[in-house]
Amino acid sequence: MDRTKIDRTRYRSLLVALALMSVACLAGMIAVLQRPTVHAAEWLSLLAGAVFCLACYPPLTRGYRRHDRAAIERVILAVFVVCTLVVLQRLAWGLYGPLIRDPSRFLFRPTYAFMPFMYLGAFAVLRARMALRVSWLIWALVTALTLPALYFNTGLDLKRDGELMLLVWMLLGNPLFILMMYILPQYEDALDRSAAELDEVRGRNELLEQLAVSEQRFDLVVDGLQVGVWDRVIAPDGSERRWWSPRFYELIGHTPGELPPSEEALKSLMHPEDRRTVWERGTAQLRHGQTMDIEFRLLTRDAGYRWFNSRAKAVRDGQGRMIRIAGAIADVHDRKMAEQALQEAKQEMTRLAYRDTLTDLHNRRSFDEEFKREWERARRYERPLSLVVMDLDHFKAYNDRYGHAAGDRCLIELARLVKLCLHRPADSVARLGGEEFAILLPETHAAGALEVAQRVGNTLRAASLPHESAPRGIVTASIGAATASPDGAWPATPSVLFEQADQALYRVKRQGRDGVLHFAGLDDAAGSVSAA
């Protein structure tokens, strides 16, 4: 029986006791009123007792509904005080009034027989130890009232009718009755212990049920997320306890019997390129109080190396030492492959946007952007910048004679030859369109630009690419160069420098093609053209 049932039983017992006491007081009042000689104090005290018992119903009910045990006990004590006063009043009236002086009267009054019911009522509605104290108090008050009355009014005459019975009842019967009740506190303590143990067991069962529900909910969430959970507990002595969930083993294609949940086992599965860097990065993240978030490759049984992501948090003690690390691992291989494919696609799109698809040289867009950057840098730092433009001679005739496929192969070969002529990483070559090419030469004066242009012309001529429609029977090029230098007149814009190189190129074309000319020598007429 738990505490709630005990309180409910005491509450109902008290209701019954109040009803019985009310009835007893009213019955006593009726009996008093039927006597020939009636005193108002007698029946008024009985009426007051009945009214008080009925008035205790509302506060008693409120205390029970609010589970206020203190309020209930206050009502109970008040009821016992009033009932005791009523009993003492009735006994005092019989012991010190005219009735005791009549030798023919029977001294053992019905009020004395009512006392055990008061004891039983105390044990029914109060805790056992409190009921014992209340019972002894009632017995002591009644005894203190009765013995002096018998001594002064009857001289303790044991031959008087009922006096011996009264003394035996008061001095032996009532104490013996109360002493018999001393076993009740032990029963009550045992009951309290049993109730406490039952509450503890019930609480433990509820916790176990909640734990089971939480574990089931956790398993459902983990299964839904398709992640494996791991846990690492670090003891004060440095020993560790590790755990991997069944889903963890399922992701890597192993079973707990095949692979223990240890650091060595995990490292043995990790890709050699990831072992040291991943471990160091994850440890550093946890050391700085961050959420560990790392990606690595593990060797699975059936699918080879696959990408996984692991996220974890650490728990620290008062000294900041990590005592527990728990996290989850998820297979992100498909996402990783999709990201890599997307990155490659972006790189390819960038390459296509900035590279010539035929020769794999820079295209016109890439050339314009790089030309602008190098122009601004040269202006800012007052450094020279040279530009070389070239155009294959009679290339339309080449296509007409050999076909466009052969023309494409010729352009590819020309791109290869030009790149061989550039010896610095900063130099770049671009196909501007058709058979027109440009070479950008940062940090290069006019002499250096002319040297590079001549090297390209010589290399192309040395390759002897057949071209029967050309005057010389081989593929040649017209090359023009221009230089922006802080030593001379700096062109206003990059396009001005480009126009200067283009003018030099067309001067070469007008003077017979297959030559090199720098814009600075345009005023030198034909002597400026070098057919290296």
Side-chain angles (χ1 to χ4, degrees):
M1 181 181 293
D2 58 17
R3 187 73 61 187
T4 302
K5 292 182 178 180
I6 294 175
D7 291 340
R8 182 167 60 250
T9 301
R10 284 176 172 166
Y11 168 71
R12 292 175 178 175
S13 300
L14 185 57
L15 293 181
V16 174
L18 288 174
L20 292 176
M21 285 187 286
S22 300
V23 171
C25 289
L26 292 175
M29 183 186 69
I30 295 173
V32 168
L33 291 175
Q34 290 178 352
R35 291 212 308 256
T37 303
V38 180
H39 296 275
E42 290 188 84
W43 67 269
L44 284 175
S45 63
L46 293 171
L47 178 61
V51 171
F52 178 81
C53 290
L54 294 175
C56 288
Y57 274 88
L60 181 65
T61 303
R62 284 195 302 270
Y64 174 72
R65 289 176 178 174
R66 296 173 182 174
H67 303 286
D68 189 351
R69 298 185 62 190
I72 295 175
E73 291 182 354
R74 287 195 296 269
V75 173
I76 294 173
L77 291 176
V79 170
F80 271 98
V81 169
V82 171
C83 291
T84 302
L85 292 176
V86 171
V87 170
L88 292 176
Q89 185 270 338
R90 297 306 304 148
L91 292 177
W93 189 264
L95 292 171
Y96 293 95
L99 297 178
I100 197 172
R101 297 186 183 91
D102 186 354
S104 63
R105 295 285 184 178
F106 188 71
L107 289 181
F108 190 85
R109 311 294 298 166
T111 306
Y112 289 103
F114 184 72
M115 291 176 59
F117 293 100
M118 295 183 65
Y119 303 150
L120 290 176
F123 284 102
V125 297
L126 292 172
R127 294 187 62 83
R129 287 184 172 78
M130 176 62 73
L132 285 174
R133 289 193 289 268
V134 170
S135 298
W136 283 118
L137 178 62
I138 294 174
W139 174 79
L141 292 174
V142 173
T143 301
L145 184 68
T146 301
L147 291 179
L150 293 177
Y151 178 79
F152 289 111
N153 292 314
T154 68
L156 294 177
D157 184 5
L158 300 181
K159 294 181 179 180
R160 182 164 177 176
D161 192 14
E163 187 161 345
L164 178 61
M165 182 187 300
L166 179 59
L167 290 174
V168 171
W169 175 251
M170 285 301 304
L171 298 180
L172 295 178
N174 278 266
L176 182 62
F177 185 89
I178 297 173
L179 290 173
M180 291 173 61
M181 297 296 108
Y182 263 81
I183 194 63
L184 294 180
Q186 300 180 26
Y187 286 132
E188 187 175 57
D189 291 342
L191 183 62
D192 288 343
R193 288 193 298 270
S194 299
E197 293 174 357
L198 183 61
D199 290 340
E200 183 179 355
V201 171
R202 184 182 293 110
R204 188 182 300 113
N205 291 335
E206 290 177 355
L207 289 176
L208 291 175
E209 292 176 359
Q210 293 175 3
L211 180 60
V213 172
S214 298
E215 289 180 351
Q216 184 180 17
R217 185 185 301 115
F218 176 77
D219 292 338
L220 289 174
V221 172
V222 170
D223 290 341
L225 294 175
Q226 297 293 297
V227 298
V229 180
W230 56 272
D231 188 20
R232 174 187 173 192
V233 179
I234 307 172
D237 59 359
S239 61
E240 296 185 2
R241 185 176 71 254
R242 294 173 181 264
W243 172 82
W244 294 351
S245 70
R247 179 62 181 168
F248 189 110
Y249 283 100
E250 183 180 343
L251 288 174
I252 60 178
H254 291 274
T255 62
E258 298 172 339
L259 198 68
S262 64
E263 180 177 326
E264 293 74 16
L266 188 61
K267 284 186 175 180
S268 68
L269 298 178
M270 192 171 292
H271 195 282
E273 297 177 0
D274 299 339
R275 287 174 189 166
R276 186 173 60 85
T277 57
V278 167
W279 222 266
E280 291 177 355
R281 186 165 67 251
T283 303
Q285 290 175 350
L286 292 174
R287 186 183 301 114
H288 291 88
Q290 302 173 352
T291 298
M292 188 188 78
D293 189 353
I294 54 177
E295 292 184 349
F296 48 86
R297 288 162 289 182
L298 290 180
L299 181 61
T300 62
R301 166 176 286 180
D302 302 323
Y305 281 106
R306 292 183 65 85
W307 281 97
F308 291 87
N309 173 267
S310 183
R311 293 174 59 87
K313 288 287 288 185
V315 179
R316 301 177 182 274
D317 58 14
Q319 289 73 37
R321 186 178 63 89
M322 286 190 293
I323 59 176
R324 189 169 195 169
I325 309 171
I329 185 173
D331 188 326
V332 295
H333 189 79
D334 294 339
R335 175 180 65 80
K336 194 74 174 179
M337 293 298 98
E339 290 177 353
Q340 290 182 359
L342 180 60
Q343 183 65 26
E344 292 173 358
K346 288 182 178 179
Q347 293 175 355
E348 181 63 18
M349 291 178 62
T350 302
R351 190 188 70 81
L352 292 176
Y354 288 92
R355 306 293 289 190
D356 178 61
T357 56
L358 178 63
T359 62
D360 199 35
L361 298 177
H362 293 286
N363 60 14
R364 183 60 183 261
R365 174 188 294 179
S366 177
F367 168 78
D368 289 341
E369 292 181 2
E370 186 176 2
F371 189 18
K372 182 179 179 181
R373 287 196 300 270
E374 292 296 337
W375 170 271
E376 293 175 349
R377 189 179 69 85
R379 286 287 300 266
R380 183 182 306 113
Y381 297 107
E382 297 183 351
R383 304 299 297 168
L385 175 66
S386 293
L387 176 65
V388 176
V389 294
M390 61 181 295
D391 191 85
L392 291 180
D393 299 329
H394 307 290
F395 192 70
K396 182 179 183 303
Y398 187 95
N399 281 330
D400 292 341
R401 184 175 183 84
Y402 299 103
H404 288 282
D408 289 344
R409 289 193 295 271
C410 179
L411 293 175
I412 294 173
E413 179 63 14
L414 175 62
R416 186 185 71 83
L417 294 174
V418 172
K419 286 192 289 186
L420 291 175
C421 296
L422 302 180
H423 301 158
R424 300 185 308 173
D427 300 337
S428 63
V429 58
R431 181 188 178 197
L432 303 183
E435 67 276 16
E436 186 178 5
F437 295 81
I439 303 173
L440 193 60
L441 302 170
E443 303 280 345
T444 304
H445 291 280
L450 189 59
E451 179 184 350
V452 171
Q454 291 173 344
R455 188 187 308 142
V456 171
N458 293 335
T459 301
L460 179 59
R461 192 174 299 106
S464 299
L465 301 177
H467 186 356
E468 295 181 0
S469 299
R472 293 190 179 186
I474 59 173
V475 175
T476 59
S478 300
I479 305 174
T483 300
S485 174
D487 299 335
W490 192 277
T493 62
S495 60
V496 173
L497 182 62
F498 187 88
E499 291 175 1
Q500 292 175 354
D502 204 42
Q503 290 177 21
L505 168 66
Y506 277 94
R507 176 67 65 88
V508 173
K509 283 182 174 293
R510 287 195 298 269
Q511 295 180 0
R513 295 183 173 85
D514 187 19
V516 174
L517 178 64
H518 194 281
F519 177 77
L522 284 181
D523 296 336
D524 295 341
S528 302
V529 180
S530 173

